[in-house]
């Protein structure tokens, strides 16, 4: 059994927990890490299978993972079993809570899109009057983005855009294909910037806590990891009000144990961290714990266009290939639309449109698909979701998971701001495609259910005021000095950018602060 | 998904039997989409051609398949036949393309092992 004299108990081993371990162990602190899932040999835990060897011929078990639109029959075992770890939601307000329980967490499977937030996000209230500012600015977090990006080996192109700050990149100087160049030109006429995708290259097959953070932490000799440890709640000394550790159950035997440490760092992912705090009944003098749940709304294949010049393989090789990213361009200088904030797109050229988009069937459909191979141009819309108090999670005491731990109930809906934004986004992308001479085969402007993006943030927000926030600007609980929450639950607001680089940077910053406070004896 | 020379169609790929299995394993809403859709298709066939849908010829079936010639929409239509056809188009097509029979024919009878996708194994 693990020793009991730990400096820090870290709950969660994904991006935020992994970065906390990476930072704290290098500062000489003895850390115990608990993760609810098993360790996995990522290199070898898969086999190549043809679809006809799968029970559902690749179509997937229709009863499994109803909330995980990203699931298919090949990857179904990556995701948390919804029967083992259920959650509830308003039947009229679906929520897709997508989870992974392996050592390394969702960082094993993320899409690697790597962006910085800007002061349009950190100081959003100053810009448009809605919601709250973060208690920090880009200048406070930039030194940490600077350190995180080389660890994850982020590739991108510097553009000097205020709304999408440049990073410490492996520079991407690859040229646009002619088709994409045409699109970039039409976007430029409308003052819409287009840039190369910013993506973490990682090392080998992974850009994960598992291969980029935990090995260095383990090499210090200061980290012990206990997998298969399902945390029930955080324990508190009634006399001092300080946290003392956490109760957890072994995933297999359900035996309950306690892990003790001087400080607890929660990095179990946004809603799991909040769930643990709510089940613990702590850190909520503000009353806002669980509230302000938000994410990005996603519409994949929002516009499906075809490039007639590529039809029937008439274009030269390499004419239509590659992709890019359109950062937010709305409401930057002035409020120009009937919605606040903005949206982004990532797009690709040169694929083949799915069969569903052709109004044909049988041989005629086969012939049409053959004629349209490589003609496709499509984009995924990623829109800012406003952080609203009335979108929240709470504990549902009537339902428990496989370990008897009460589950979350999610109450969240998108509002008029998101729906207006989505319409504008798809209208704009459709217009751009038509301006390029392309045919819009299909389009839709309805966001997928909240949670689909797997970018949920908020519910344990930081702030300057302990009456309106759970954490201070160092991700430290206002109520309990030796409790930190370092994952996306600490966000005040989000943008259209994917949150992972920000989560990693916040965790590094908070962990450095914690280490210094412990060195001074102030925690 | 009709057969073509050297290319098994849905019947040869045992897709009807597979769809029976898939729909039987589906949630109630999905099962109802199929059952109501098939009932409605049969009713329309009787109303238009005074015969069962199974007895229609290709031209008659194409008349009933008019919804498949409508532009794609994200929301499923209200008409039960249109809803059925939208689901069937993708599932019958995928089940055919992913079948052993289709891939055996496509590989010239050798059916080289390998290919397919990466299947993530369960981890206990």
């Amino acid at each position: 059994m693990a020793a009991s004299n730990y400096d820090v108990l870290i709950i969660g081993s994904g991006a935020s927990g992994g970065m906390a371990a990476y930072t704290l162990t290098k500062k000489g602190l003895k850390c115990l890490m608990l993760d609810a899932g098993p360790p996995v040999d990522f290199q070898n835990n898969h086999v190549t299978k043809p679809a006809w060897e799968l029970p559902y011929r690749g179509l997937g078990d229709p009863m499994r993972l109803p909330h995980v639109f990203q699931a298919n029959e090949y990857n179904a075992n990556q995701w948390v079993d919804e029967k083992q770890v259920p959650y509830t939601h308003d039947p009229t307000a679906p929520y897709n809570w997508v989870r992974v329980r392996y050592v390394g967490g969702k960082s094993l499977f993320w899409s690697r899109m790597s962006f910085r937030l800007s002061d349009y996000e950190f100081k959003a209230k100053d810009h448009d009057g809605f919601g709250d500012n973060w208690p920090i600015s880009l200048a406070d977090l930039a030194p940490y983005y600077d350190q995180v990006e080389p660890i994850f080996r982020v590739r991108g192109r510097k553009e000097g855009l205020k709304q999408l700050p440049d990073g410490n990149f492996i520079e991407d100087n690859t040229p646009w294909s002619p088709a994409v160049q045409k699109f970039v030109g039409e976007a430029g006429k409308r003052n819409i910037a287009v840039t190369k995708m910013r993506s973490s290259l990682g090392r080998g097959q992974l850009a994960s806590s598992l291969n980029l953070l935990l090995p260095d932490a383990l090499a210090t000799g200061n980290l012990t990891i206990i997998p298969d440890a399902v945390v029930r709640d955080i324990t508190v000394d009634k006399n001092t009000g300080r946290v003392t550790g956490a109760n957890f159950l072994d995933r297999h035997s359900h035996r309950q144990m306690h892990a003790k440490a001087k400080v607890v760092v929660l990095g179990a992912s946004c809603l799991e961290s909040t769930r643990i705090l709510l089940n613990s009944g702590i850190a909520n003098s503000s009353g806002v714990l669980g509230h302000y749940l938000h994410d990005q709304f996603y519409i994949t294949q929002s516009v499906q266009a075809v490039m007639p010049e590529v039809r029937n393989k008439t274009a030269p090789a390499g004419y239509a290939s590659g992709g890019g990213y359109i950062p937010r361009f709305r409401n930057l200088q002035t409020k120009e639309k009937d919605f606040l904030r903005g949206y982004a797109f990532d797009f690709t050229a040169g694929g083949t449109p799915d069969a569903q988009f052709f109004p044909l069937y049988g041989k005629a459909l086969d012939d049409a698909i053959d004629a349209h191979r490589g003609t496709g141009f499509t984009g995924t819309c990623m829109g800012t979701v406003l952080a609203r108090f009335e979108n929240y999670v709470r504990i549902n005491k009537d339902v428990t998971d496989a370990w008897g731990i009460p589950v979350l109930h999610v109450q969240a809906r998108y509002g008029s701001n998101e729906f207006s934004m989505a319409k504008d986004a798809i209208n704009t992308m459709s217009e751009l495609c038509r301006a390029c001479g392309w045919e819009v085969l299909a389009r839709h402007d309805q966001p997928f259910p909240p949670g689909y993006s797997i970018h949920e943030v908020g519910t344990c927000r930081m702030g300057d005021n302990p009456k309106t926030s759970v954490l201070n600007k160092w991700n430290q609980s206002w109520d309990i000095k030796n409790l930190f929450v370092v994952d996306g639950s600490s966000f005040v607001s989000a943008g259209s950018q994917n949150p992972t680089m920000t989560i990693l940077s916040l965790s590094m910053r908070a962990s450095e602060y914690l280490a210094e406070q412990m060195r001074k004896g102030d925690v | 998904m009709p057969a073509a020379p050297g290319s098994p169609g849905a019947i040869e790929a045992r897709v009807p039997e597979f769809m029976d299995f898939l729909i039987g394993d589906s949630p109630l809403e999905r099962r109802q989409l199929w059952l109501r859709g098939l009932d409605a298709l049969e009713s329309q066939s009787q109303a238009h051609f005074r015969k069962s849908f199974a007895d229609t010829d290709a031209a008659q079936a194409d008349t009933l398949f008019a919804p498949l010639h409508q532009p794609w929409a994200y929301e499923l239509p209200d008409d039960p036949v249109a809803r059925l056809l939208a689901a069937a188009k993708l599932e019958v097509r995928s089940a055919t393309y992913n079948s052993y029979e289709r891939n055996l024919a496509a590989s010239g009878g050798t059916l080289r092992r390998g290919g397919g996708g990466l299947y993530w194994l369960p981890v206990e």
Side-chain angles (χ1 to χ4, degrees):
Chain A
M1 187 56 197
S4 59
N5 54 341
Y6 292 102
D7 295 312
V8 183
L9 171 63
I10 301 169
I11 301 173
S13 67
S16 57
M19 180 55 82
Y22 177 90
T23 308
L24 293 168
T25 53
K26 288 187 173 208
K27 297 287 186 185
L29 292 166
K30 295 282 185 204
C31 298
L32 174 66
M33 174 181 274
L34 302 179
D35 194 281
V40 62
D41 179 356
F42 189 86
Q43 314 295 337
N44 295 308
N45 197 63
H46 43 71
V47 295
T48 301
K49 269 188 188 283
W52 69 84
E53 286 189 4
L54 299 174
Y56 296 91
R57 291 195 189 182
L59 275 69
D61 179 347
M63 294 289 271
R64 192 176 175 190
L65 299 168
H67 294 96
V68 185
F69 288 10
Q70 296 87 344
N72 59 51
E73 199 164 7
Y74 283 95
N75 71 19
N77 292 316
Q78 289 176 359
W79 314 104
V80 155
D81 184 334
E82 292 192 27
K83 294 190 177 74
Q84 277 205 327
V85 199
Y87 66 100
T88 60
H89 60 77
D90 181 337
T92 67
Y95 192 87
N96 286 9
W97 186 18
V98 181
R99 296 153 291 164
V100 171
R101 283 193 174 183
Y102 289 115
V103 173
K106 284 179 286 186
S107 77
L108 293 169
F109 306 119
W110 66 307
S111 72
R112 308 193 184 191
M113 289 165 68
S114 302
F115 305 107
R116 298 188 180 198
L117 293 186
S118 72
D119 279 332
Y120 285 109
E121 287 77 48
F122 290 119
K123 301 300 169 192
K125 180 174 183 177
D126 289 346
H127 186 64
D128 59 31
F130 180 88
D132 297 287
N133 287 331
W134 290 58
I136 60 173
S137 66
L138 175 62
D140 295 310
L141 205 56
Y144 300 92
Y145 282 131
D146 282 346
Q147 297 178 69
V148 167
E149 285 155 352
I151 295 172
F152 280 75
R153 301 182 67 234
V154 176
R155 181 177 62 188
R157 177 179 290 179
K158 292 188 177 178
E159 302 281 359
L161 298 168
K162 190 178 168 198
Q163 72 271 34
L164 192 74
D166 293 328
N168 216 340
F169 296 149
I170 297 170
E171 196 69 15
D172 182 351
N173 290 318
T174 54
W176 298 118
S177 67
V180 174
Q181 184 63 65
K182 186 195 291 191
F183 180 83
V184 172
E186 289 298 332
K189 291 177 192 171
R190 293 157 177 79
N191 292 320
I192 297 173
V194 181
T195 185
K196 287 289 183 173
M197 179 52 72
R198 296 176 182 181
S199 180
S200 288
L201 299 177
R203 294 191 187 279
Q205 292 184 31
L206 281 177
S208 166
S209 166
L210 187 68
N211 70 321
L212 299 177
L213 302 175
L214 294 180
D216 281 22
L218 287 164
T220 64
N222 291 327
L223 178 64
T224 301
I225 301 176
I226 300 181
D228 298 314
V230 182
V231 170
R232 177 191 293 279
D233 52 24
I234 293 170
T235 53
V236 174
D237 182 324
K238 289 186 171 57
N239 295 318
T240 63
R242 292 169 61 86
V243 295
T244 57
N247 290 317
F248 68 97
L249 299 94
D250 179 85
R251 188 170 69 90
H252 296 292
S253 69
H254 292 214
R255 179 184 165 203
Q256 179 157 319
M257 291 170 273
H258 182 260
K260 188 176 159 185
K262 297 173 188 148
V263 175
V264 173
V265 171
L266 258 177
S269 87
C270 172
L271 293 185
E272 286 290 2
S273 288
T274 297
R275 179 185 174 208
I276 289 170
L277 290 175
L278 288 169
N279 271 324
S280 305
I282 60 174
N284 194 22
S285 66
S286 64
V288 304
L289 180 65
H291 290 270
Y292 298 102
L293 172 63
H294 56 291
D295 62 354
Q296 282 86 46
F297 73 75
Y298 261 40
I299 311 175
T300 61
Q301 293 183 306
S302 58
V303 174
Q304 178 65 66
V306 295
M307 296 174 273
E309 64 268 37
V310 185
R311 202 176 272 149
N312 294 312
K313 302 181 182 128
T314 49
Y319 172 83
S321 62
Y325 182 78
I326 302 173
R328 171 183 168 182
F329 56 92
R330 290 296 190 214
N331 299 323
L332 294 178
Q333 310 306 326
T334 57
K335 186 177 184 302
E336 57 191 277
K337 288 286 175 180
D338 62 349
F339 55 86
L340 301 175
R341 317 249 161 116
Y343 53 84
F345 273 96
D346 83 77
F347 62 83
T348 55
T352 301
D354 288 345
Q356 63 184 331
F357 297 125
F358 295 94
L360 299 163
Y361 67 95
K363 186 173 184 311
L365 175 57
D366 283 341
D367 292 344
I369 290 175
D370 274 340
H372 285 86
R373 290 202 186 281
T375 68
F377 183 95
T378 189
T380 290
C381 176
M382 298 162 283
T384 304
V385 175
L386 297 179
R388 300 183 184 86
F389 180 84
E390 58 268 27
N391 288 334
Y392 69 94
V393 298
R394 60 170 174 82
I395 294 298
N396 183 344
K397 290 196 189 303
D398 297 328
V399 181
T400 58
D401 66 13
W403 297 272
I405 303 171
V407 305
L408 277 186
H409 179 86
V410 184
Q411 181 73 44
R413 294 176 196 275
Y414 291 147
S416 58
N417 202 73
E418 285 80 42
F419 294 123
S420 296
M421 188 187 298
K423 284 193 183 335
D424 183 74
I426 278 54
N427 285 343
T428 303
M429 177 58 95
S430 300
E431 188 213 325
L432 280 173
C433 288
R434 292 191 184 104
C436 294
W438 300 338
E439 299 161 12
V440 175
L441 202 61
R443 43 169 283 161
H444 75 97
D445 59 14
Q446 293 297 307
F448 292 147
Y452 172 88
S453 62
I454 324 181
H455 293 159
E456 60 274 14
V457 290
T459 68
C460 190
R461 59 178 8 200
M462 57 164 66
D464 277 330
N465 185 343
K467 291 185 179 160
T468 56
S469 55
V470 180
L471 308 171
N472 65 19
K473 66 179 182 179
W474 301 106
N475 294 72
Q476 182 181 32
S477 163
W478 287 111
D479 295 350
I480 304 175
K481 232 176 154 182
N482 64 335
L483 172 65
F484 285 71
V485 186
V486 296
D487 53 39
S489 62
S490 63
F491 278 40
V492 181
S493 61
S496 48
Q497 300 93 311
N498 304 47
T500 303
M501 287 292 114
T502 304
I503 290 170
L504 287 161
S505 302
L506 285 171
S507 179
M508 178 184 272
R509 178 174 177 270
S511 298
E512 285 197 353
Y513 173 80
L514 167 60
E516 179 60 14
Q517 295 302 297
M518 291 186 81
R519 188 190 67 77
K520 295 193 294 191
D522 282 348
V523 164
Chain B
M1 286 295 298
S7 185
I11 303 290
E12 294 79 9
R14 297 172 296 128
V15 171
E17 294 88 342
F18 171 76
M19 292 306 300
D20 263 348
F21 160 67
L22 178 69
I23 297 161
D25 258 16
S26 293
L28 178 63
E29 189 184 336
R30 195 74 171 163
R31 295 202 306 270
Q32 286 178 337
L33 182 152
W34 274 83
L35 292 172
R36 287 177 185 159
L38 288 170
D39 285 345
L41 183 64
E42 184 66 15
S43 296
Q44 286 187 11
S45 182
Q46 293 288 353
H48 277 90
F49 305 113
R50 296 181 197 268
K51 59 171 75 166
S52 172
F53 173 74
D55 297 327
T56 55
D57 59 32
Q60 290 168 329
D62 190 58
T63 303
L64 298 170
F65 286 174
L68 287 176
H69 296 296
Q70 296 303 309
W72 177 85
Y74 178 67
E75 297 285 346
L76 286 178
D78 291 332
D79 170 39
V81 172
R83 293 172 73 89
L84 166 72
L85 292 175
K89 174 177 169 177
L90 293 181
E91 290 174 353
V92 168
R93 188 176 177 79
S94 296
T96 305
Y97 271 99
N98 291 352
S99 68
Y100 174 83
E101 290 80 1
R102 187 92 173 192
N103 282 274
L104 181 67
S107 66
T110 61
L111 202 59
R112 288 189 308 278
R113 293 315 231 195
L118 284 180
Y119 177 77
W120 186 260
L121 296 165
V123 177
E124 279 306 313

